[in-house]
Amino acid sequence: MRSTLRRISVAAVAAMAALTAALPGTATAQGGQEQQGRTYYVATSGSDRDSGSARHPLRTIGRCTDLVRPGDTCLIHRGTYRERVAPPSGRAGAPVTLAAYGDGPVTVDGTRTVTGWKDAGGGLVATDVDLPLARDENALFLDGGRAMEGRWPNSGSDPLNPSWAVAERSSTDQHIDDPDLPDGDLTGATVHLWAGSNPWSQQTGTVTATSDGALDFKGGNYRCTPLCMGDQNYRNYYLVGAKATLDQPGEWYYDTGEKRLYLVPPKGGMAGHTVTAKYEKWGLDLIESSHVTVRGLGVWGTSLRTGEKSTGVLVEGLRARYISEFSTLPMPRDDELAIPPGEGHIVASRVLDSGVQILGTGNTLRDSDIGLSAGTGVLLRGSGNTITNNYIHDVGWMGSYTPGIEINGSGHTVTHNTVRRTGRASIDTAWQLNGVPFKDNRIAYNDLSEAMRTSRDGSPFYVCCNLDATGTSVDHNTVHDADGQVGYYIDNSSSQFLLHHNVAYNTGTRGTFFNGHSGVSLGNRDHNSTYGAGVSTAVRLSGATDATGTYVSNDVALAPMEISGPGDPAPVVRNNLLPPADPRYTDARNGELWPRAGSPAIDAGETVDGVTTGVRGDGPDQGAYEYGAPIWSTGCNLAGCESRVRNDGWKATFSGGGDASAAVDGVQTTQWKADTNQAAGQSLTLDLGAAKTFSRLAVDAGLDATGHPYGFTVSVSRDGRDWGAPVARVAGRSFTQDAVFGQRTARYVRIELTAAGDVPWAVNEVRLYADGPDAAGTLQAERAQVVRGGERGDAATGVLGSGGLVGFRQVSFGADSPDRLTVRMASAGCGSGCALQLRLDDPKGRVVATLPVRDTGGADQWQERSVRLARAVTGTHDVYLVATGARKVAAVDWLTLRD
């Protein structure tokens, strides 16, 4: 399987582990003090009968955790460890530490190898095996990639790009009519439904009977409308878990009665192939542990959890893959619900039993890469926990309310995370599971994108319902490129949310929505937010029986606002910069929504206590960015956190003739649509204007429920004439479809349909992504992977002295060398001889540009300075901006490399 994930090289993982691993003989206490303790060593070549010394390491992590006491460390050499690890507790100031040694990746693998395959007839092989997990939580891996449980219709390898069948309108609540249904007995299969007038959640049921072109099922949430099968706007479904659906290599079926596993073998048979099955749900199980540090480890086919009584747990540098797997969406248990059970609670299915789980009090997850989960990415529950600088992606594909990050409880800090490619929300609070108050949380500097892949009624940041968020701040976040209806959605009578300095673009119909939903919407506020293209209403308040305390001010938008509802006092909406005024954004097409000189937003804001801080000029600015201050950014600084390729004014043409520029204009709410039904051979050709480097293409059909293709190929060309073989073939019918391939550098891209369809092809936006930042984009200093000689802030570095630097990994230059380096900096009193050098591949690597540093008038006075590159730069490089010449040279806000 070709994964949709960014891959970090073994060398990069080893380097990260080496930087974070505890030193031999010490364990680092979370308070910053070092507690001397004993160090045990673990290696796959060791023996659990040995002492655990450096020369005589143990074989298993579990044996090491049997031996450690508070203050002790397990240093683990590279390798795969197939075991369940449950460390004992340490003490405050003397944690038990499990750390990668630093010589390569350390993986706790929750799978076991399955052997004994024999011919089972009908093109299948089978083996007898007792899989320990529940039937609907089994997972199989073929040659290191996720194998698809037998399903109909067949789908590609990307679970966030599923193929759906569409039932006939004659279907009813528990009955499906579809003449395309496959032959064979489908009784007992799971039917996965995404159906209804406005299906805000998915659901599953069990097939009870089948006949020619029809089936009956039991279960699901048959509440009509909006969630039901029948004569509805949406009638999507697929079947999984029946032997009769096995028809393509890699598909499997487990007969729980016979304890027999069936598989469609790869072409050529099983020789040379490895199959593993999931055995451990919690490979790193800290449910009974406190004061434990887990540093630089990985989990595969399993997950990590802390417990409700855990405290003082630090998890850093975790790399997690395939953390949760399930094929059904059962109703949450009654004891998991904070309010009386009801069928509407199907939306919260699996929220509490999936993902990496940080429960308890005072625990931290940071600097981690978490991807591939049928459910939640990270569950945060309890109080006073911290989730920061993590990359969370490709999760929630089963389509319930399982998000990238689920937040329950109070006093949490959720900052500087990048959450990308989620079935529904990026960050969510589940009202049904809210059992404790939701207060005093800080949710800030997060980058949330490509959400709502398997739903429409929702948002990247979603709140539901009836929450009192007193003391909670949602600030300095960015939401963009999502297929739902809203950016920040405060739904169903939730109150006391303070939103400020947030950014939204390409989020559908609304930027922020306070939805009273026939109830109250009290004390919700939105100040100094910025709304870009792809938003039809900047802020909306509707449906509230009482909107007392609503306050919207200092916002900047390209769209109007809609605020209605009674209140005492009535909602306050004032001092916002709205159409027809031009806010003079720097580059709206690429989400750079900070104001340029002459913007009417400058100094035009009102003072809002606790919100309008760091004022420059005669008063606060309107919008999320203060002109003259450093430009803050969102998201993490790990590999994969920054990958969208800059759109410099791409062009698109349709094979049938005519301009298709609406597909590449950077505005997700504009749509290009063909004038005839889909047919194999139809194509869109993109001219990027210059050669770009990329490894993923996304074709986004926006809110359109019909216009996405049934299949397509992607080809690339440097000159627009020689194309070669396609670099990717894509199946599936999701609203946004991704093609993933090895890194390519090209100026031209062609998307060609491979199948006919009964409606015209529609595209709202085509986006490209790389494995690292685009050199032509704005490289924000606070997102640099390496900062030396100056502190990293939320919007810039401190002043760098000679030898200080910022470094960015794997920057893509394409095949056309940029002409100029531009740096936004601040400097005071450096004198002559100060400079910023642009070096490649190493802090001491070759110099390609030297930018003299001149006094800008102060260490907080920012100016843009440029210099021509001394030599051509193409391809992909690590980039370092190195200060030279004095003890205090300059602070750096951002840099670009463009013509």
Side-chain angles (χ1 to χ4, degrees), residues 18 130 380 415 550 569 718 797 899:
D130 188 0
L380 179 60
T415 59
T550 301
R718 290 179 180 259
T797 67
D899 294 334

Side-chain angles (χ1 to χ4, degrees), residues 675-698:
D675 54 7
T676 59
N677 287 350
Q678 295 178 38
Q682 289 180 353
S683 65
L684 283 177
T685 300
L686 279 56
D687 180 357
L688 310 180
K692 298 280 189 177
T693 300
F694 48 91
S695 57
R696 176 164 69 98
L697 175 145

Side-chain angles (χ1 to χ4, degrees), residues 528 551 553-556 574-577 600-608 612 615-616 618-623 626:
N528 289 90
Y551 188 6
S553 73
N554 290 351
D555 287 356
V556 178
R574 68 187 182 204
N575 215 67
N576 300 292
L577 183 63
I602 298 171
D603 296 344
E606 65 176 11
T607 297
V608 180
T612 51
V615 172
R616 305 289 182 103
D618 295 332
D621 293 355
Q622 296 168 314
E626 182 76 11

Side-chain angles (χ1 to χ4, degrees), residues 543-790:
T545 57
D546 185 353
T548 297
T550 301
Y551 188 6
V552 179
S553 73
N554 290 351
D555 287 356
V556 178
L558 300 177
M561 295 181 177
E562 298 176 2
I563 309 293
S564 63
D568 185 15
V572 174
V573 183
R574 68 187 182 204
N575 215 67
N576 300 292
L577 183 63
L578 302 173
D582 179 4
R584 292 181 60 84
Y585 293 145
T586 295
D587 185 355
R589 181 192 293 264
N590 289 289
E592 296 182 349
L593 303 183
W594 44 90
R596 290 178 286 138
S599 169
I602 298 171
D603 296 344
E606 65 176 11
T607 297
V608 180
D609 290 344
V611 172
T612 51
T613 59
V615 172
R616 305 289 182 103
D618 295 332
D621 293 355
Q622 296 168 314
Y625 305 99
E626 182 76 11
Y627 184 76
I631 304 301
W632 54 268
S633 67
T634 56
C636 60
N637 64 359
L638 307 176
C641 293
E642 187 174 11
S643 61
R644 183 170 167 181
V645 175
R646 183 179 181 83
N647 184 333
D648 296 313
W650 304 343
K651 298 178 181 179
T653 55
F654 179 50
S655 57
D659 177 45
S661 59
V664 291
D665 62 0
V667 183
Q668 198 163 297
T669 49
T670 61
Q671 184 183 77
W672 167 82
K673 181 175 283 190
D675 54 7
T676 59
N677 287 350
Q678 295 178 38
Q682 289 180 353
S683 65
L684 283 177
T685 300
L686 279 56
D687 180 357
L688 310 180
K692 298 280 189 177
T693 300
F694 48 91
S695 57
R696 176 164 69 98
L697 175 145
V699 180
D700 191 337
L703 296 176
D704 195 295
T706 60
H708 36 286
Y710 287 77
F712 62 88
T713 62
V714 177
S715 303
V716 299
S717 171
R718 290 179 180 259
D719 58 11
R721 295 185 298 274
D722 298 324
W723 291 91
V727 299
R729 296 180 181 274
V730 178
R733 293 295 318 280
S734 67
F735 299 102
T736 298
Q737 296 163 287
D738 286 294
V740 180
F741 36 85
Q743 185 167 282
R744 297 293 193 277
T745 298
R747 173 173 171 172
Y748 298 91
V749 181
R750 178 166 293 164
I751 307 163
E752 183 172 329
L753 300 189
T754 56
D758 54 6
V759 295
W761 187 11
V763 179
N764 285 54
E765 197 65 27
V766 179
R767 299 185 294 271
L768 295 175
Y769 297 85
D771 289 329
D774 185 349
T778 300
L779 305 181
Q780 300 278 170
E782 68 275 15
R783 293 186 66 177
Q785 282 81 36
V786 181
V787 177
R788 295 179 189 167

Side-chain angles (χ1 to χ4, degrees), residues 123-147:
L124 305 179
V125 295
T127 186
D128 295 324
V129 59
D130 188 0
L131 299 181
L133 299 180
R135 174 192 174 190
D136 59 352
E137 293 183 346
N138 285 322
L140 212 68
F141 300 90
L142 175 62
D143 297 333
R146 177 178 180 264

Side-chain angles (χ1 to χ4, degrees), residues 152-153 164-168 176-183 186 211-214 237 239 710 758:
W152 181 86
W164 298 94
V166 180
E168 297 291 300
I176 290 175
D177 288 323
D178 186 348
D180 295 328
L181 276 165
D183 297 331
L186 301 171
S211 59
D212 187 21
Y237 76 100
L239 304 174
Y710 287 77
D758 54 6

Side-chain angles (χ1 to χ4, degrees), residues 117-121 123-127 246 261-266 269-270:
W117 297 100
K118 297 180 181 178
D119 183 82
L124 305 179
V125 295
T127 186
L246 299 180
L261 181 61
Y262 294 87
L263 177 73
V264 182
M270 295 300 295

